[in-house]
């Protein structure tokens, strides 16, 4: 199941994947997800909610921005479904918008459903994408523990930063 409001993006999803498309996270329910085949105790809920309110290039309204505020519906689905795993992504500005209070809300919402959480800023250029595209990736695991840390951090790489794929031009 995918949920995407933008018509053009929905078209791309429909062309590339044979699955159910829902058009609005505000109306998507846990029952919709389960009817589509989602199994909470084995499932991974992923979300890349709109970043315009969090971006340093925008007005920095955070969750007060109607687009970035759609996080509340991701949190609602997490509470209704209680999936085993959560993977979220947003711009690094999420960490600092509203003096970090919006990110604290995200962490509090994840803790509220019983998830242990780890986060890390990753750059797409280190994963074969020919552009610099930094994103904060948040991993949650129901029941806590070190599982999210093990997903995001390689034991030999924890003390430092990953090397760039190419030298500066």
């Amino acid at each position: 199941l995918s949920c995407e409001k933008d018509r053009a993006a929905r078209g791309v999803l429909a062309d590339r994947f044979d699955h159910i498309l829902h058009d609005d996270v505000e109306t998507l329910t846990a029952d919709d997800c389960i009817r589509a085949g989602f199994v909470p105790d084995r499932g991974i809920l992923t979300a890349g909610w709109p970043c315009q309110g969090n971006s340093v290039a925008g007005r920095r309204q955070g969750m007060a921005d109607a687009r970035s505020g759609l996080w509340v519906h991701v949190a609602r689905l997490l509470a209704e479904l209680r999936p085993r795993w959560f993977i979220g992504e947003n711009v690094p500005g999420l960490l600092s918008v509203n003096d970090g209070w919006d990110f604290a809300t995200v962490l509090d919402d994840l803790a509220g459903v019983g998830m242990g959480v780890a986060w890390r800023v990753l750059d797409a250029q280190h994963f074969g994408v020919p552009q610099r595209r930094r994103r904060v990736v948040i991993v949650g695991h129901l029941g806590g523990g070190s599982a999210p840390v093990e997903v995001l951090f390689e034991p030999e790489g924890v003390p430092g930063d990953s090397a760039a794929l190419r030298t500066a031009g």
Side-chain angles (χ1 to χ4, degrees), residues 29 50 62 68 95 148 166:
T29 67
S68 296
L95 301 171
R166 56 191 164 100

Side-chain angles (χ1 to χ4, degrees), residues 74-93:
V74 175
R76 173 184 53 79
L77 287 168
L78 284 164
E80 292 173 2
L81 288 167
R82 295 186 52 79
R84 180 167 288 183
W85 288 94
F86 169 73
I87 302 172
E89 70 85 22
N90 211 283
V91 293

Side-chain angles (χ1 to χ4, degrees), residues 24-148:
D24 192 347
V25 71
E26 295 179 80
T27 62
L28 181 65
T29 67
D31 288 340
D32 294 329
C33 296
I34 290 168
R35 274 194 300 275
F38 186 81
V39 180
D41 65 339
R42 295 192 320 253
I44 302 170
L45 179 73
T46 63
W49 66 102
C51 64
Q52 292 94 331
N54 302 324
S55 175
V56 295
R59 293 187 177 163
R60 306 277 291 160
Q61 294 177 310
M63 301 260 188
D65 181 289
R67 297 161 297 182
S68 296
L70 290 174
W71 164 258
V72 299
H73 296 287
V74 175
R76 173 184 53 79
L77 287 168
L78 284 164
E80 292 173 2
L81 288 167
R82 295 186 52 79
R84 180 167 288 183
W85 288 94
F86 169 73
I87 302 172
E89 70 85 22
N90 211 283
V91 293
L94 173 64
L95 301 171
S96 60
V97 69
N98 292 324
D99 295 323
W101 286 106
D102 287 6
F103 187 58
T105 297
V106 170
L107 297 179
D108 189 57
D109 289 342
L110 291 166
V113 297
M115 289 196 160
V117 179
W119 65 90
R120 182 176 183 182
V121 176
L122 299 173
D123 192 328
Q125 72 177 332
H126 300 298
F127 298 91
V129 178
Q131 65 176 317
R132 182 173 182 183
R133 189 168 180 89
R134 297 177 68 234
R135 291 291 183 265
V136 61
V137 177
I138 306 160
V139 175
H141 183 262
L142 195 61
S146 63

